[in-house]
Amino acid sequence: MEPPDRRPRAERARQIADVLRQRITAGAFDSGPLPDERTLVAQVGATRNAVREALALLRAEGLVERRQGVGTLVVQPKYGHGLDRLAGLAEALDGHGEIVNEVRAARILAPPPAIAERLALAPGEPVVHLERLRRLGGRPLSLDTTYLTADIGVPLLGHDLAGRDLFALIEETSGRRLGRAEVVVHAVSAGPDTAALLEIPPGTAVFALDRLTHLDDGRPVDVESLHVRADRLTLRATLHRGSA
């Protein structure tokens, strides 16, 4: 017989919430409500009070909601975006709905020195600056700020920036293949302007992705800063262990 679990209930609830969150983001409950409390108690091996606290944590995150006579439902699906392949958002979310880009800026300018340095440009050398609010299913998903070297970016200005991924357009217009990208992911609090555009309360946690993309010859051509609604997207990768 196993000894009783003497951990604080708040700790058990947190760990149960982690398990349920993983199942939700994996799509386990897309077709209907979560199992009832009695079933969840049996599945996770916890008390009903701990399960109730775990569900309360998920409700506070905005991940689930309780509906009278129905049960606990996933509020909205989270879409998975893999980090182990260089792909545009529309490519990564193919089959989940139409991605529409609201182009808020598309211009040629002299970049900030830090951007010029990352793109290996001389000071004052022009770049193409794009800002796009990206929607999935009509709802905001991310706010993307992009700086492109002029030879790559200028040809894009005459193309469908509202309906196409930049990566595909870059390869089409340049005749070159993209090679690799370095990506850094932060968790940040959305400021008032970003929050208003993404239609979330100010201070809400969002993913901030910094990405530097290179052509297949190694030349850096694309610096991006993406603010992504963390309640709508999960970041996934398949990692292989190799030599240190």
Side-chain angles (χ1 to χ4, degrees), residues 27-173:
F29 308 116
D30 284 353
S31 59
L34 273 65
D36 60 30
E37 288 182 358
R38 179 176 298 179
T39 302
L40 288 175
V41 165
Q43 289 181 351
V44 300
T47 66
R48 178 165 290 189
N49 284 338
V51 167
R52 287 176 177 171
E53 287 193 22
L55 293 174
L57 291 173
L58 297 178
R59 285 197 298 272
E61 293 177 16
L63 192 58
V64 300
E65 65 179 7
R66 180 75 179 175
R67 292 186 187 175
Q68 186 68 32
V70 178
T72 300
L73 300 173
V74 177
V75 172
Q76 59 185 1
K78 282 196 174 189
Y79 303 100
H81 191 320
L83 292 181
D84 45 8
R85 177 175 174 264
L86 184 54
L89 191 62
E91 289 180 275
L93 299 182
D94 183 41
H96 292 295
E98 183 183 13
I99 298 287
V100 176
N101 306 315
E102 177 188 328
V103 182
R104 297 176 47 81
R107 55 187 176 173
I108 301 172
L109 48 69
I115 298 296
E117 181 179 357
R118 296 189 74 189
L119 290 173
L121 300 176
E125 191 172 344
V127 299
V128 169
H129 168 245
L130 305 175
E131 183 176 272
R132 297 167 299 151
L133 179 63
R134 316 197 70 185
R135 299 177 184 272
L136 174 60
R139 301 177 59 205
L141 180 62
S142 71
L143 178 64
D144 301 359
T145 299
T146 305
Y147 295 92
L148 298 151
T149 58
D151 64 311
I152 295 295
V154 170
L156 302 183
L157 296 178
H159 288 265
D160 181 17
L161 297 174
R164 297 286 306 280
D165 267 344
L166 284 187
F167 287 168
L169 281 174
I170 288 171
E171 293 183 330
E172 286 179 19
T173 58

